[in-house]
Amino acid sequence: MKKIQLAPKLIGLGLVALAAYSFFNRPKKMTFSGSSMIPEAKGSIRLHRDKNKNHTIEIEVSHLVPADQLNPPKEIYVVWMTTQDQETKNIGQLRIFTGFFSKAYIGSLFTVTPSKPSSIFITAEDKGDVESPGEVILST
């Protein structure tokens, strides 16, 4: 009588399912295009849908100019998203710091939202709780 070796087949099937899940559930990456205000700025956005069906947004921008050195000077950088319903939402402020081995300014933001973004952009503002965006500095 032959013994059926079911365990190796189940393990192989489980690995295939895990690989497919990882491929289709991996974060989507977008990049920012520079602007005339800060042409050397470069940035990326990672979008991911979590297990609660929320959207995580992770942003990192390098080679920023401090907002108070812009013309006209501003206080902070605010991140906005446009939803698929064409609604524009303020989703937070960039946290600004200098690199460990460099004096270049870097901005970052991590946030979670129930809405799926169709675009993300950054403006320089005088305060963080503004309800409508000013001039766009960087956009996807």
Side-chain angles (χ1 to χ4, degrees):
M1 186 189 289
K2 280 187 172 179
K3 285 187 176 182
I4 299 176
Q5 301 244 343
L6 194 54
K9 290 181 182 181
L10 286 176
I11 291 171
L13 185 59
L15 289 174
V16 168
L18 180 62
Y21 176 79
S22 296
F23 177 78
F24 290 108
N25 199 35
R26 71 176 187 250
K28 313 244 180 319
K29 186 174 181 180
M30 300 175 357
T31 58
F32 283 110
S33 54
S35 72
S36 60
M37 289 183 97
I38 312 175
E40 57 279 341
K42 295 178 181 168
S44 64
I45 304 167
R46 291 190 187 277
L47 299 172
H48 185 278
R49 193 165 178 185
D50 67 16
K51 65 183 178 183
N52 296 322
K53 298 187 179 180
N54 290 316
H55 299 272
T56 62
I57 302 170
E58 187 176 349
I59 297 172
E60 186 168 307
V61 181
S62 61
H63 302 290
L64 282 172
V65 173
D68 62 356
Q69 293 179 15
L70 293 171
N71 187 13
K74 298 292 182 177
E75 290 296 315
I76 55 169
Y77 289 103
V78 176
V79 181
W80 303 84
M81 75 174 215
T82 305
T83 66
Q84 292 181 328
D85 299 331
Q86 300 306 310
E87 184 180 0
T88 301
K89 294 183 176 184
N90 176 336
I91 58 172
Q93 302 170 27
L94 285 181
R95 190 185 99 225
I96 307 294
F97 56 95
T98 57
F100 188 68
F101 294 108
S102 161
K103 292 189 184 217
Y105 285 91
I106 299 169
S108 69
L109 173 72
F110 180 85
T111 191
V112 178
T113 178
S115 304
K116 182 177 182 179
S118 59
S119 69
I120 296 177
F121 59 97
I122 299 172
T123 62
E125 305 289 348
D126 289 322
K127 48 186 195 165
D129 60 352
V130 292
E131 294 183 17
S132 59
E135 184 177 355
V136 175
I137 303 292
L138 299 168
S139 64
T140 56

